[in-house]
């Protein structure tokens, strides 16, 4: 039965109803069938009567049962009806219907159309005439109207039944049940359709006022001969509907004309599709970039826009919108300002630049002067962690020594003498994928006061110094330098002649080669509140003896401890008994044949170092804490201050390195960066220029020089404007009166890109060169801690008591 009903639903177009030229005469035998446009069983109005050529077969049965069949032009309807069990039809009574015969309290009805039927309930039948033969007690006339459903939530079928009846009937129909105006241009001329309404029963049809059901739809009644009129059998009237779309897309509603039929109204569905003659196709419809490295410019994809409309369309500049708009960019846009006629094209190139990890989505927006403004293209990518800017610590290896001819000619560097040192592919540094190296640079036997400048090979020598020294000194400094042409760095001596020794201690990745080669992601800098880990003067009251190392442990909590790969420390030799050196490494014997701090007898000599750590099995405090060692060649006091550590690349809010050609940002002697040379206990504030910092810069890698102080002094650096980070209790640089001394330093900068400089004693010139910046990596950034304005950006040991007593170990 379901299949039969479906076939019936397909019949949606109903022929214009036939009607008699004059009203039918009593007695009436007729059937009206009226289905609304929403009915899936029958749509349209039909009248079966003798004037229209209908044939009727009516069989009255016992208990007021009535079988009624109407045939006309190949269309047949059959009604089988009986009153509730034990009752007869009562005139003026309305009965609820059921599809079960002899049901108590319900009248029975079964309706078939061309042999197909369905469940006719809920519904009702209202009887207006019922006469019977006195001898047989069977019906001789019958009049009623019916309202039935067919398994739906609405009434699907309405109509009148007459057999030998004196009761007239009202029927009406329209020449269409629906009209689709099709595609119409928004803002274009109106389109109209005149609908004819015909009176089809014995009695006149009385019409109310025609109206559009949805007043917000773009339809109007522009002509109407039906509203408020009465039309006799066979008479017609018309209603003209006009439409003028105001927006794109489909708009459906109904024309409603009230009447006095059983249905109570004529309904005609109306539809239109608003279109724009300025149309284009965009191919492809979406761009999926797949995996993309976070914070790096990734792949590029293009969309092609083709004009398809009869009217040209003009485009503005393409933009990226949506929650993750920062993860994409417009690389090229030939659509900007272009006007496309039919079949003309333009192109927009979109580049991926993942701003964070995981799934990222945004929308390419193509503004234009059409009604579809902007046209949009969905964009997606998956941000994955890359290696660029991460640090890879190495066991220190000597890669240059002019005293022996290692890595350079066996000769001193003379005035303005330069050596181009190969650093990639040596000492554990890979041949490719290296952006910068961390070197410990030492001078020996200089014939004059001078300085070395270390910079990328192939570039002009910058106005900067990397290591300042006096005649006869042996001095070292940590130098972080970008790798230049051919994987080399240039080392230039200013004056006199000097030997130069270079040890490589680590490198920074320039791209994702370490991941591709299987090395994996390196470490990120975790700046900490500077603090003193060890001072032999106060912790022991005695010097570290020659040939011994002091083993030190740090504690930043279990999560950080087990992810720590190296510490960033400032190591100072104080009052050595003789000229010698300190070597910092992970503490596992044997110590490397390199130096970290080279000192002279009786001096105070600092150097910044990035020192690998280990969890040692022979330490008295066990393996829970990361440790490292500092070995001394001669008896000396040793001070170790921690300023940061290198993680394994996974801790929150880690910083990555961007190398730069050394750039001078402070020279107090000429008022650059600081207005004057700072005096005793003076704090100066330096603003890092926009040429060296970006929005995501959080720290600077510097080479800081004290120039000819009038008294022995030290300098301190710390960020300006970060809550919880005040002037530290440790120093970055120590200098004796009259000396010019440089030391590497790492300092956070505040939210306005500023840091503080403190001079302890006398008056000194201060010079600072930026060798690189540390930037917040979006792949591990989190919340306010990633903004560089909270004390949470720097870690602190839990408590002083958490640090074990330094362990003295003899070689």
């Amino acid at each position: 039965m379901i299949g039969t009903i479906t076939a019936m639903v397909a019949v949606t177009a109903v022929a214009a109803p036939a009607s008699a030229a004059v009203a039918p005469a009593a007695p009436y035998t007729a059937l009206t069938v009226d289905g609304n446009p929403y009915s899936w069983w029958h749509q349209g109005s039909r009248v079966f009567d003798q004037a229209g050529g209908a044939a009727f077969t009516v069989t009255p049965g016992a208990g007021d049962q009535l079988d009624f069949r109407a045939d006309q032009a190949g269309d047949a309807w059959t009604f089988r009806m009986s009153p509730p069990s034990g009752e007869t039809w009562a005139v003026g009574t309305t009965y609820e219907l059921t599809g079960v015969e002899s049901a108590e309290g319900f009248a029975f009805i079964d309706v078939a159309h061309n042999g197909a039927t369905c469940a006719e309930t809920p519904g009702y039948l209202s009887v207006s005439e019922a006469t019977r033969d006195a001898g047989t007690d069977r019906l001789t006339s019958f009049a009623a109207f019916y309202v039935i459903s067919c398994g739906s939530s609405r009434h699907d079928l309405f109509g009148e039944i007459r057999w030998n009846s004196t009761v007239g009937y009202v029927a009406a129909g329209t020449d269409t049940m629906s009209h689709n105006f099709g595609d119409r241009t928004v803002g274009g001329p109106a389109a109209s359709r005149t609908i004819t309404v015909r009176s089809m029963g014995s009695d006149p049809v009385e019409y109310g006022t025609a109206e559009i059901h949805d007043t917000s739809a773009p339809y109007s009644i522009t002509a109407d001969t039906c509203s408020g009129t009465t039309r006799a059998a066979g008479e017609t009237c018309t209603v003209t509907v006009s439409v003028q779309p105001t927006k794109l897309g489909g708009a459906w509603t109904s024309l409603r004309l009230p009447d006095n039929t059983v249905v109570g109204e004529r309904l005609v569905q109306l539809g239109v599709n608003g279109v724009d003659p300025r149309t284009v196709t965009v191919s492809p419809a979406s761009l999926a970039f797949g995996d993309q490295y976070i914070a790096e410019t990734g792949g590029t994809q293009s969309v092609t826009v083709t004009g398809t409309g009869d009217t040209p369309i003009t485009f503005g500049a393409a933009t990226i919108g949506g929650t993750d708009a920062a993860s994409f960019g417009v690389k090229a846009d030939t659509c900007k300002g272009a006007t496309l006629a039919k079949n003309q094209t333009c192109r927009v190139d979109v580049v991926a630049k993942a701003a964070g990890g995981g799934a990222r989505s945004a929308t390419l927006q193509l503004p234009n002067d059409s009604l579809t403004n902007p046209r949009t293209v969905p964009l997606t990518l998956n941000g994955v962690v890359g290696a660029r800017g991460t640090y890879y610590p190495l066991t220190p290896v000597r890669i240059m020594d002019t005293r022996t001819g290692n890595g350079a000619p066996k000769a001193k560097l003379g005035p303005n003498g330069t050596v181009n040192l190969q650093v990639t592919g040596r000492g554990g540094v890979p041949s490719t994928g290296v952006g910068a190296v961390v070197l410990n640079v030492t001078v020996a036997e200089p014939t004059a006061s001078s300085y070395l400048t270390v910079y990328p090979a192939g570039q002009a020598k910058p106005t900067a110094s990397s290591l300042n020294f006096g005649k006869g000194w042996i001095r070292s400094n940590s130098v972080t330098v970008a790798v230049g042409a051919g994987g080399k760095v240039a080392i230039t001596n200013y004056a006199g002649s000097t030997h130069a020794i270079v040890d490589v201690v680590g490198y920074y990745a320039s791209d994702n080669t370490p991941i591709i080669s299987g090395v994996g992601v390196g470490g990120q800098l975790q700046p900490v509140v500077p603090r003193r880990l060890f001072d032999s003067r106060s912790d022991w009251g005695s010097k570290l003896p020659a040939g011994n190392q002091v083993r030190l442990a740090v504690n930043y909590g279990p999560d950080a401890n087990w992810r720590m790969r190296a510490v960033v420390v400032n190591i100072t030799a104080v009052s050595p008994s003789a000229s010698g050196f300190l070597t910092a490494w992970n503490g596992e014997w044997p110590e490397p044949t390199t130096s970290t701090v080279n000192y002279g007898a009786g001096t105070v000599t600092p150097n910044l170092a990035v020192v690998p750590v280990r969890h040692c099995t022979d330490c008295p405090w066990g393996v829970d804490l990361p440790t490292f060692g500092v070995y001394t060649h001669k008896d000396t006091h040793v001070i170790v201050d921690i300023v940061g550590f290198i993680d394994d690349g996974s801790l929150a809010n880690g910083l990555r390195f961007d190398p730069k050609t050394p750039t001078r940002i402070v020279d107090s002697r000429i008022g650059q960066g600081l207005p004057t040379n700072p005096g005793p206990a003076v704090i100066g504030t330096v603003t890092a220029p926009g040429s060296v910092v970006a929005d995501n810069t959080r720290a600077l890698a510097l080479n800081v020089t004290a120039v000819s102080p009038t008294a022995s002094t030290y300098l301190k650096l710390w960020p300006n404007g970060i809550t919880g980070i005040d002037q530290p209790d440790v120093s970055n640089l120590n200098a004796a009166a009259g000396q010019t001394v440089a030391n590497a330093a790492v300092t956070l900068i505040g939210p306005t890109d500023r840091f503080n400089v403190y001079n302890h004693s006398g008056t000194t010139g201060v010079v600072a060169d930026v060798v690189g910046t540390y930037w917040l990596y979006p792949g591990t950034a989190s919340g306010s801690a990633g903004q560089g304005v909270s004390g949470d950006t720097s870690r602190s040991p839990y408590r002083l008591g958490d640090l074990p007593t330094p362990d003295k170990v003899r070689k």
Side-chain angles (χ1 to χ4, degrees), residues 534-552 571-578 580-585 589 591 597 599 628-640 806-811:
F534 174 66
D535 187 340
S536 61
R537 299 171 301 178
S538 56
D539 290 336
W540 289 348
S542 61
K543 295 180 177 180
L544 177 64
N548 281 261
Q549 69 158 307
V550 56
R551 287 193 300 199
L552 301 170
I571 302 174
T572 305
V574 179
S575 301
S577 60
F581 61 87
L582 300 176
T583 298
W585 83 115
W589 298 110
E591 79 281 10
V597 179
Y599 51 74
F628 64 100
V630 179
Y631 168 83
T632 186
H633 179 223
K634 299 295 183 181
D635 294 353
T636 185
H637 281 297
V638 177
I639 301 172
V640 180
D807 182 29
K808 184 189 302 179
V809 182
R810 183 165 183 81
K811 184 176 179 180

Coordinates of all heavy atoms in Angstrom, one line a residue, residues 534-552 571-578 580-585 589 591 597 599 628-640 806-811:
F534 N 75.9 29.0 43.7 CA 77.1 28.6 44.4 C 78.0 29.7 44.5 O 78.2 30.5 43.5 CB 77.7 27.4 43.8 CG 79.0 27.0 44.4 CD1 79.1 26.5 45.7 CD2 80.2 27.1 43.7 CE1 80.3 26.1 46.2 CE2 81.4 26.7 44.2 CZ 81.5 26.2 45.5
D535 N 78.6 29.9 45.7 CA 79.7 30.9 45.9 C 80.6 30.3 46.9 O 80.3 30.2 48.1 CB 79.1 32.2 46.4 CG 80.2 33.3 46.5 OD1 81.4 33.0 46.5 OD2 79.8 34.5 46.5
S536 N 81.8 29.8 46.4 CA 82.7 29.1 47.3 C 83.2 30.0 48.5 O 83.6 29.5 49.5 CB 83.9 28.6 46.5 OG 84.6 29.7 45.9
R537 N 83.1 31.3 48.3 CA 83.5 32.2 49.4 C 82.6 32.1 50.6 O 83.1 32.2 51.7 CB 83.6 33.7 48.9 CG 84.6 33.9 47.7 CD 84.4 35.3 47.1 NE 83.0 35.5 46.6 CZ 82.6 36.6 46.1 NH1 83.4 37.7 46.0 NH2 81.3 36.7 45.6
S538 N 81.3 32.0 50.4 CA 80.4 31.9 51.5 C 80.0 30.4 51.7 O 79.7 30.1 52.9 CB 79.2 32.7 51.2 OG 78.5 32.3 50.0
D539 N 79.8 29.6 50.7 CA 79.4 28.2 50.9 C 80.4 27.4 51.5 O 80.1 26.5 52.3 CB 78.9 27.6 49.5 CG 77.6 28.3 49.0 OD1 76.9 28.8 49.8 OD2 77.4 28.2 47.8
W540 N 81.7 27.6 51.2 CA 82.8 26.7 51.7 C 83.7 27.5 52.6 O 84.4 27.0 53.5 CB 83.6 26.1 50.5 CG 82.9 25.0 49.8 CD1 81.7 24.4 50.1 CD2 83.3 24.5 48.5 NE1 81.4 23.5 49.2 CE2 82.3 23.5 48.2 CE3 84.4 24.7 47.7 CZ2 82.4 22.7 47.0 CZ3 84.5 23.9 46.5 CH2 83.5 22.9 46.2
G541 N 83.9 28.8 52.3 CA 85.0 29.6 52.9 C 86.3 29.2 52.4 O 87.3 29.6 53.0
S542 N 86.4 28.5 51.3 CA 87.7 28.2 50.8 C 87.6 28.0 49.3 O 86.5 27.9 48.7 CB 88.2 26.8 51.3 OG 87.3 25.8 51.0
K543 N 88.7 28.1 48.6 CA 88.7 28.0 47.1 C 88.5 26.6 46.6 O 88.7 25.6 47.4 CB 90.0 28.5 46.5 CG 90.3 30.0 46.8 CD 91.6 30.4 46.2 CE 91.8 32.0 46.4 NZ 93.1 32.4 45.8
L544 N 88.0 26.5 45.4 CA 88.0 25.1 44.7 C 89.4 24.8 44.4 O 90.0 25.5 43.6 CB 87.1 25.2 43.5 CG 87.0 23.9 42.7 CD1 86.3 22.8 43.5 CD2 86.2 24.2 41.4
P545 N 89.9 23.7 44.9 CA 91.3 23.3 44.7 C 91.5 22.9 43.2 O 90.7 22.5 42.5 CB 91.5 22.1 45.6 CG 90.4 22.1 46.6 CD 89.2 22.7 45.9
A546 N 92.8 23.2 42.8 CA 93.2 22.8 41.4 C 92.9 21.3 41.2 O 93.1 20.5 42.1 CB 94.6 23.1 41.2
G547 N 92.4 21.0 40.0 CA 92.2 19.6 39.7 C 90.9 19.0 40.2 O 90.7 17.8 40.1
N548 N 90.1 19.8 40.8 CA 88.8 19.4 41.3 C 87.6 20.0 40.5 O 87.8 21.1 39.9 CB 88.6 19.8 42.8 CG 89.4 18.9 43.7 OD1 88.9 18.0 44.3 ND2 90.7 19.1 43.8
Q549 N 86.5 19.4 40.7 CA 85.3 20.0 40.1 C 84.3 20.1 41.3 O 84.3 19.4 42.3 CB 84.6 19.1 39.0 CG 84.0 17.8 39.5 CD 83.0 17.2 38.6 OE1 82.0 17.9 38.3 NE2 83.1 16.0 38.2
V550 N 83.4 21.1 41.2 CA 82.3 21.2 42.1 C 81.1 20.8 41.3 O 80.8 21.3 40.2 CB 82.1 22.7 42.6 CG1 82.0 23.7 41.5 CG2 80.9 22.7 43.5
R551 N 80.4 19.8 41.8 CA 79.1 19.3 41.2 C 77.9 20.1 41.8 O 77.8 20.2 43.0 CB 78.9 17.8 41.4 CG 79.9 17.0 40.6 CD 79.5 15.6 40.5 NE 79.5 14.9 41.8 CZ 79.6 13.6 42.0 NH1 79.6 12.8 41.0 NH2 79.6 13.1 43.2
L552 N 77.1 20.6 40.9 CA 76.0 21.4 41.4 C 74.7 20.8 40.8 O 74.6 20.3 39.7 CB 76.1 22.9 40.8 CG 77.4 23.6 41.3 CD1 77.5 24.9 40.5 CD2 77.3 23.9 42.8
I571 N 79.3 32.0 35.1 CA 80.4 31.4 35.9 C 81.5 32.4 36.1 O 82.0 33.0 35.1 CB 80.9 30.1 35.3 CG1 79.7 29.1 35.1 CG2 82.0 29.5 36.2 CD1 80.1 27.9 34.4
T572 N 81.9 32.7 37.3 CA 82.9 33.7 37.6 C 84.0 33.1 38.4 O 83.8 32.4 39.4 CB 82.3 34.9 38.4 OG1 81.2 35.4 37.6 CG2 83.3 36.0 38.5
A573 N 85.3 33.3 38.0 CA 86.5 32.9 38.8 C 86.9 34.2 39.5 O 87.1 35.3 39.0 CB 87.6 32.4 37.9
V574 N 87.1 34.0 40.9 CA 87.5 35.1 41.7 C 88.8 34.8 42.4 O 88.9 33.8 43.1 CB 86.4 35.4 42.8 CG1 86.7 36.6 43.7 CG2 85.0 35.7 42.1
S575 N 89.7 35.7 42.3 CA 91.0 35.7 42.9 C 91.8 34.3 42.7 O 92.1 33.6 43.7 CB 90.9 35.9 44.4 OG 90.3 37.2 44.7
P576 N 92.0 33.9 41.5 CA 92.7 32.7 41.3 C 94.1 32.8 41.8 O 94.7 33.9 41.8 CB 92.7 32.5 39.7 CG 91.6 33.4 39.2 CD 91.5 34.5 40.2
S577 N 94.7 31.7 42.2 CA 96.1 31.7 42.7 C 97.1 31.8 41.6 O 98.2 32.3 41.8 CB 96.3 30.4 43.5 OG 96.2 29.3 42.6
A578 N 96.7 31.5 40.3 CA 97.6 31.6 39.2 C 96.7 31.6 37.9 O 95.5 31.3 38.0 CB 98.5 30.4 39.2
G580 N 94.9 30.3 34.8 CA 94.3 29.0 34.5 C 93.0 29.1 33.8 O 92.7 30.1 33.2
F581 N 92.2 28.1 34.1 CA 90.9 28.1 33.4 C 89.9 27.2 34.2 O 90.2 26.4 35.0 CB 91.0 27.5 32.0 CG 91.5 26.1 31.9 CD1 90.6 25.0 32.0 CD2 92.9 25.9 31.7 CE1 91.1 23.7 31.9 CE2 93.3 24.6 31.7 CZ 92.5 23.5 31.8
L582 N 88.6 27.5 33.9 CA 87.5 26.7 34.4 C 86.8 26.0 33.2 O 86.7 26.6 32.1 CB 86.4 27.6 35.1 CG 86.8 28.4 36.3 CD1 85.6 29.2 36.8 CD2 87.3 27.4 37.5
T583 N 86.4 24.8 33.4 CA 85.6 24.1 32.4 C 84.3 23.6 33.0 O 84.3 23.0 34.0 CB 86.4 22.8 31.9 OG1 87.6 23.3 31.3 CG2 85.6 22.1 30.9
A584 N 83.2 24.0 32.3 CA 81.9 23.6 32.7 C 81.3 22.6 31.8 O 81.4 22.8 30.6 CB 81.0 24.8 32.8
W585 N 80.8 21.5 32.3 CA 80.2 20.4 31.4 C 79.3 19.6 32.3 O 78.9 20.0 33.4 CB 81.4 19.6 30.8 CG 82.0 18.5 31.6 CD1 81.9 17.2 31.4 CD2 82.8 18.6 32.8 NE1 82.6 16.4 32.3 CE2 83.1 17.3 33.2 CE3 83.2 19.7 33.6 CZ2 83.9 17.1 34.4 CZ3 83.9 19.5 34.7 CH2 84.3 18.1 35.1
W589 N 83.3 12.4 34.3 CA 84.7 12.3 33.9 C 84.9 11.5 32.6 O 84.1 10.6 32.4 CB 85.5 11.7 35.0 CG 85.5 12.6 36.3 CD1 84.9 12.2 37.5 CD2 86.2 13.8 36.5 NE1 85.1 13.2 38.4 CE2 85.9 14.2 37.9 CE3 87.0 14.6 35.7 CZ2 86.4 15.3 38.4 CZ3 87.5 15.8 36.3 CH2 87.2 16.1 37.6
E591 N 86.7 15.3 31.9 CA 86.3 16.6 31.5 C 86.8 16.9 30.1 O 87.8 16.3 29.7 CB 86.7 17.7 32.5 CG 88.2 18.1 32.3 CD 89.2 17.2 32.9 OE1 88.8 16.1 33.3 OE2 90.4 17.5 32.9
V597 N 86.0 29.4 31.2 CA 86.5 30.7 31.7 C 88.0 30.7 31.8 O 88.5 29.8 32.4 CB 85.9 31.0 33.1 CG1 86.4 32.3 33.6 CG2 84.4 31.0 33.1
Y599 N 91.2 32.6 33.2 CA 91.5 33.7 34.1 C 93.0 33.9 34.4 O 93.8 33.1 34.1 CB 90.8 33.3 35.5 CG 91.1 31.9 36.0 CD1 92.3 31.6 36.6 CD2 90.1 31.0 36.0 CE1 92.6 30.4 37.0 CE2 90.4 29.7 36.5 CZ 91.6 29.4 37.0 OH 91.9 28.1 37.5
F628 N 75.5 19.4 37.0 CA 76.6 19.7 36.1 C 77.8 20.0 37.0 O 77.7 20.1 38.2 CB 76.2 20.9 35.2 CG 76.0 22.2 35.9 CD1 77.0 23.2 36.0 CD2 74.8 22.5 36.5 CE1 76.8 24.4 36.7 CE2 74.6 23.7 37.2 CZ 75.6 24.6 37.3
G629 N 78.9 20.1 36.3 CA 80.2 20.3 37.1 C 81.0 21.4 36.5 O 80.9 21.8 35.4
V630 N 81.8 22.0 37.4 CA 82.7 23.1 37.0 C 84.1 22.7 37.6 O 84.3 22.5 38.8 CB 82.3 24.5 37.6 CG1 83.4 25.5 37.2 CG2 80.9 24.9 37.2
Y631 N 85.0 22.5 36.6 CA 86.4 22.0 37.0 C 87.3 23.2 36.9 O 87.2 24.1 36.1 CB 86.8 21.0 35.9 CG 88.3 20.6 36.0 CD1 88.8 19.7 36.9 CD2 89.2 21.2 35.1 CE1 90.1 19.4 36.9 CE2 90.5 20.9 35.1 CZ 91.0 20.0 36.0 OH 92.3 19.7 36.0
T632 N 88.3 23.3 37.8 CA 89.3 24.3 37.8 C 90.7 23.8 37.6 O 91.1 22.7 38.1 CB 89.2 25.2 39.1 OG1 90.1 26.3 39.0 CG2 89.6 24.3 40.3
H633 N 91.4 24.6 36.9 CA 92.8 24.2 36.6 C 93.7 24.6 37.7 O 94.7 23.9 38.1 CB 93.3 24.9 35.3 CG 94.7 24.7 34.9 ND1 95.5 25.7 34.4 CD2 95.4 23.6 34.9 CE1 96.7 25.2 34.2 NE2 96.7 23.9 34.4
K634 N 93.4 25.8 38.3 CA 94.2 26.3 39.5 C 93.2 26.6 40.6 O 92.0 26.7 40.4 CB 95.0 27.6 39.1 CG 96.0 27.4 38.0 CD 97.1 26.4 38.4 CE 98.1 26.3 37.3 NZ 99.3 25.4 37.6
D635 N 93.8 26.8 41.8 CA 93.0 27.1 43.0 C 92.3 28.5 42.7 O 92.9 29.5 42.3 CB 93.8 27.3 44.2 CG 94.4 26.0 44.7 OD1 94.1 24.9 44.1 OD2 95.3 26.0 45.6
T636 N 91.0 28.5 42.9 CA 90.2 29.7 42.7 C 88.9 29.7 43.4 O 88.3 28.6 43.6 CB 90.0 30.0 41.2 OG1 89.4 31.3 41.1 CG2 89.1 29.0 40.5
H637 N 88.4 30.8 43.8 CA 87.0 30.9 44.2 C 86.1 30.8 42.9 O 86.5 31.3 41.9 CB 86.7 32.2 45.0 CG 87.1 32.1 46.4 ND1 86.6 31.2 47.3 CD2 88.0 32.9 47.1 CE1 87.2 31.4 48.5 NE2 88.0 32.4 48.4
V638 N 85.0 30.2 43.1 CA 84.0 30.0 41.9 C 82.6 30.5 42.3 O 82.2 30.1 43.4 CB 84.0 28.5 41.5 CG1 83.0 28.4 40.3 CG2 85.4 28.1 41.0
I639 N 82.0 31.3 41.5 CA 80.6 31.7 41.6 C 79.8 31.3 40.4 O 80.3 31.4 39.3 CB 80.5 33.3 41.8 CG1 81.4 33.8 42.9 CG2 79.1 33.7 41.9 CD1 81.5 35.3 43.0
V640 N 78.7 30.7 40.7 CA 77.8 30.2 39.6 C 76.4 30.8 39.8 O 75.8 30.6 40.9 CB 77.7 28.7 39.6 CG1 76.8 28.2 38.4 CG2 79.1 28.1 39.4
P806 N 76.6 21.7 47.5 CA 77.5 21.4 46.3 C 78.6 20.3 46.7 O 79.1 20.3 47.9 CB 78.2 22.8 46.1 CG 77.2 23.8 46.5 CD 76.6 23.2 47.7
D807 N 78.8 19.5 45.8 CA 79.7 18.3 46.0 C 81.0 18.5 45.4 O 81.1 18.8 44.2 CB 79.0 17.1 45.4 CG 79.7 15.8 45.7 OD1 80.4 15.7 46.7 OD2 79.6 14.9 44.8
K808 N 82.1 18.4 46.2 CA 83.5 18.6 45.7 C 84.0 17.2 45.3 O 84.0 16.3 46.1 CB 84.3 19.3 46.8 CG 85.7 19.6 46.3 CD 86.6 20.1 47.4 CE 86.1 21.3 48.1 NZ 86.9 21.7 49.3
V809 N 84.5 17.1 44.1 CA 85.0 15.9 43.6 C 86.3 16.1 43.0 O 86.5 16.9 42.1 CB 84.0 15.2 42.6 CG1 84.5 13.9 42.1 CG2 82.6 15.1 43.1
R810 N 87.3 15.3 43.4 CA 88.7 15.4 42.8 C 88.8 14.5 41.6 O 88.2 13.4 41.5 CB 89.7 15.0 43.9 CG 91.2 15.1 43.3 CD 92.2 15.1 44.5 NE 93.5 15.3 44.0 CZ 94.0 16.5 43.7 NH1 93.3 17.6 43.9 NH2 95.3 16.7 43.3
K811 N 89.5 15.0 40.6 CA 89.7 14.2 39.4 C 90.3 12.9 39.6 O 91.3 12.8 40.4 CB 90.5 15.1 38.4 CG 90.7 14.4 37.0 CD 91.4 15.3 36.1 CE 91.6 14.7 34.7 NZ 92.3 15.6 33.8

